[in-house]
Amino acid sequence: MKITVLTLFPEMFTPLFNSIIGRAVEAGKIEINIVNIRDYAENKHGKCDDYPFGGGAGMVMMPQPIGSAIEAVDPNRTARRIYLSPKGETFKQSKVYELLDCGHIVLLCGHYEGVDQRVIDLYIDEEISIGDYVLTGGELPAMVVCDCVARYVEGVISDGSLVDESFADGGLEYPQYTRPAEYNGLKVPNVLLSGDHKKIDDWRRKESERLTLERRPDLRKK
């Protein structure tokens, strides 16, 4: 799996190369490339933004540096090209599985007031939003997409850890406990200490359903 990120601020992605994802990159299980859009600007100052036509607040990212960057990282148009935008489709677990089949995805991070619409019309396959709110740029959403997709690449995380987690079966995960058996007066449910795997499975299934209906009933209306 290959992920290419186009951004004006590559230094923001340093945390992505730590912990589980960082080890997966080092082991060659996944390839993540962070590309500085400024490197493709044709003006001598590396300028990548300008005032919007029609007036208005803020600046808009210019089409030339972005277009040149995309053509350089995906010359044969074989990757899935995604623009991280509040106007995009809401990112869900089903989209993670879809992107896994792409082999190579290119993530474009907007900034300021966004990117010139012609970039989207000419180069982008889809727009993705991580929620109904606005951030200063697409870097954090890109990291979310990278993390979500990377953890499902074979060998990054053990298969067993991916089975019972939230959204794996359309619901929320059951509560988890570890040692000690009692902490500040709160005890681990007795069933989890019983050693009876059937009862434990039943308890987990019921707790998952209870939490889903309590916190995300919309997941059960689909």
Side-chain angles (χ1 to χ4, degrees), residues 29-60:
K29 300 182 187 300
I30 186 169
E31 180 182 348
I32 301 178
N33 298 312
I34 311 301
V35 176
N36 192 338
I37 297 171
R38 296 185 192 279
D39 292 341
Y40 294 89
E42 294 178 352
N43 62 83
K44 65 178 181 180
H45 298 295
K47 183 177 175 60
C48 292
D49 61 295
D50 211 329
Y51 295 103
F53 281 124
M59 306 288 278
V60 176

Side-chain angles (χ1 to χ4, degrees), residues 92-108:
K92 295 182 179 179
Q93 192 68 28
S94 57
K95 178 61 68 173
V96 175
Y97 303 141
E98 181 183 325
L99 295 181
L100 276 170
D101 293 331
C102 293
H104 181 198
I105 60 175
V106 175
L107 303 177
L108 171 60

